[in-house]
């Protein structure tokens, strides 16, 4: 099964990218993207970091095991239109 890495973009430049050194195995890029959204929801709900002032300004930069980009997952995508209606 291929390995995907969810690198956290929390600011500009190289200092604004937290690299995922281990990655996780997923069947494909869509499953990696779905996992990234789930992790983003969890981070927004549970984690407070000095380096991250606004989770909704963050993005997961998902790469494959060869370092090739396969998806960008903005944390703002964790909010759906249904959530806005509440």
């Amino acid at each position: 099964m291929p390995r995907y890495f969810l690198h956290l973009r929390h600011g500009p430049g190289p200092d604004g990218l937290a690299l995922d050194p281990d990655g996780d195995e997923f069947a494909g890029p869509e499953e990696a993207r779905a996992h990234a959204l789930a992790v983003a929801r969890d981070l927004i709900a549970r984690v407070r970091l000095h380096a991250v002032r606004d989770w909704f300004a963050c993005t997961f930069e998902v790469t494959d095991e060869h370092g090739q980009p396969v998806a960008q997952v903005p944390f703002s995508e964790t909010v759906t239109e249904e959530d806005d209606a509440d």
Side-chain angles (χ1 to χ4, degrees):
M1 199 175 298
R3 184 169 292 275
Y4 295 89
F5 298 84
L6 281 58
H7 308 299
L8 175 62
R9 170 68 60 194
H10 59 86
D15 290 339
L17 184 64
L19 296 176
D20 174 2
D22 301 320
D24 289 293
E25 292 181 343
F26 298 102
E30 288 304 315
E31 290 79 9
R33 186 180 191 296
H35 180 71
L37 276 173
V39 171
R41 284 185 188 100
D42 189 56
L43 287 171
I44 290 167
R46 301 178 199 280
V47 178
R48 302 289 177 253
L49 295 175
H50 177 69
V52 179
R53 295 178 187 222
D54 180 7
W55 282 116
F56 291 105
C58 295
T59 299
F60 273 125
E61 297 179 4
V62 183
T63 62
D64 65 15
E65 53 200 6
H66 305 290
Q68 297 302 308
V70 296
Q72 287 202 4
V73 183
F75 280 39
S76 60
E77 288 186 12
T78 62
V79 179
T80 64
E81 288 182 25
E82 292 172 359
D83 294 336
D84 292 340
D86 291 339

